[in-house]
Amino acid sequence: YDPFAAGFDMDVYKGRAKHNLFVFKVWPHLVQQLRDRIFKGEKVVLRAMTKTSFHPLKEDTILATIKGTCPGKKGIMFTAHLFERPQKQGANDNASGSVTLVEIARTITALIRDGKIPRPERSIHFLIGEEGTSLMGHFQKYPGRADQLFAAMNFDMVGEYLGAHSFLTMVLPMTSRTGFLQAAAKSLLDFVFETNTERHHHHAQSSYIAYPLPIVEKDGSMESFKYLICLLYTSPSPRDRTRSR
């Protein structure tokens, strides 16, 4: 928590405000100072001077597909945003998610090409672009695209350092809309956790056993895998499933 950092909140920009508002984004420390002055009866007036302009923007949207053997079956789509409007581009938010999609596509393609796995029955789509106008705009431009999918998974900020009180978070749809894909994804997180955490066993010669099946990138760390599972648009609560060392 940094009292001098202004948080990022898109509630107003997403049209959730009931009235037309001009919003000042300020840091919590200043908010507390202004609030205390108002509670003391002081009149506080804020003024702003802005200079705005509109510029044309060309957005590139990347769509790649690993074609399945049964085109009539609905496929699955992996999505990630490479940037959020021209001025916001970050390594974690969200080049990490975009790179993950590229690596998934590269790995599956190589396994199929080398004959190590069969070509899937369902097509696998990969969509990368700007977070709002590009990804959502794709479905608006091609309204039939959603009918070709049975599920989608979005990757956002998956490069977070898990050793700094962070978790790999999987957000699930509401319970009434859960299915096989959600169960498979949860099982995968369980598997990674169980095989990438120190084990202790009373039958072993030593009480300490290293990671049973470590998943470690050659330039990565041996940090314990931690994750959090919660429902869409809900805040983490004690009922959320949290696993850590």
Side-chain angles (χ1 to χ4, degrees):
Y1 171 73
D2 185 353
F4 295 98
F8 180 69
D9 189 351
M10 295 185 64
D11 283 352
V12 174
Y13 306 114
K14 290 183 177 179
R16 297 177 185 173
K18 296 182 179 179
H19 307 286
N20 293 328
L21 299 174
F22 184 90
V23 179
F24 288 92
K25 294 295 297 182
V26 297
W27 51 97
H29 184 71
L30 178 58
V31 171
Q32 295 174 2
Q33 291 181 342
L34 296 176
R35 181 195 59 190
D36 293 342
R37 292 170 61 182
I38 293 174
F39 284 169
K40 292 179 180 179
E42 183 179 347
K43 182 180 179 180
V44 176
V45 178
L46 301 180
R47 294 184 176 87
M49 180 178 296
T50 63
K51 182 179 180 180
T52 62
S53 60
F54 291 92
H55 301 274
L57 172 66
K58 178 183 178 181
E59 296 180 348
D60 294 323
T61 301
I62 302 172
L63 176 65
T65 299
I66 299 176
K67 293 184 177 180
T69 58
C70 299
K73 288 189 174 182
K74 293 187 176 183
I76 183 174
M77 176 175 282
F78 295 97
T79 63
H81 69 275
L82 188 57
F83 59 93
E84 302 171 31
R85 294 152 297 279
Q87 72 275 17
K88 188 174 188 297
Q89 304 180 41
N92 186 30
D93 187 12
N94 182 40
S96 63
S98 301
V99 170
T100 300
L101 260 63
V102 173
E103 185 64 12
I104 292 174
R106 185 200 65 81
T107 301
I108 295 177
T109 301
L111 292 174
I112 295 174
R113 181 195 61 221
D114 297 340
K116 295 183 178 180
I117 63 172
R119 181 172 292 275
E121 292 185 356
R122 301 178 185 270
S123 296
I124 306 175
H125 308 278
F126 302 87
L127 181 63
I128 300 176
E130 197 275 330
E131 184 173 27
T133 57
S134 181
L135 297 184
M136 293 303 298
H138 177 81
F139 287 93
Q140 293 173 354
K141 185 176 181 180
Y142 304 99
R145 180 75 69 190
D147 295 332
Q148 301 173 356
L149 306 173
F150 82 93
M153 296 184 66
N154 184 63
F155 290 76
D156 193 351
M157 298 177 64
V158 297
E160 189 75 24
Y161 172 51
L162 298 182
H165 307 291
S166 298
F167 300 87
L168 176 64
T169 304
M170 182 172 70
V171 183
L172 299 176
M174 303 307 292
T175 306
S176 60
R177 301 182 63 87
T178 56
F180 169 78
L181 181 63
Q182 291 86 344
K186 292 173 65 175
S187 296
L188 177 61
L189 289 184
D190 285 337
F191 174 79
V192 175
F193 170 80
E194 295 294 344
T195 56
N196 285 268
T197 304
E198 296 175 0
R199 317 310 287 156
H200 298 266
H201 199 283
H202 65 280
H203 290 308
Q205 295 181 354
S206 172
S207 61
Y208 167 77
I209 303 177
Y211 296 178
L213 187 63
I215 303 177
V216 182
E217 202 273 335
K218 61 182 179 64
D219 296 324
S221 68
M222 291 293 291
E223 291 289 340
S224 180
F225 179 73
K226 299 183 293 184
Y227 70 93
L228 173 72
I229 298 177
C230 59
L231 293 177
L232 181 65
Y233 296 140
T234 60
S235 300
S237 68
R239 293 179 298 175
D240 292 326
R241 188 176 187 184
T242 305
R243 304 289 297 271
S244 62
R245 181 169 64 181

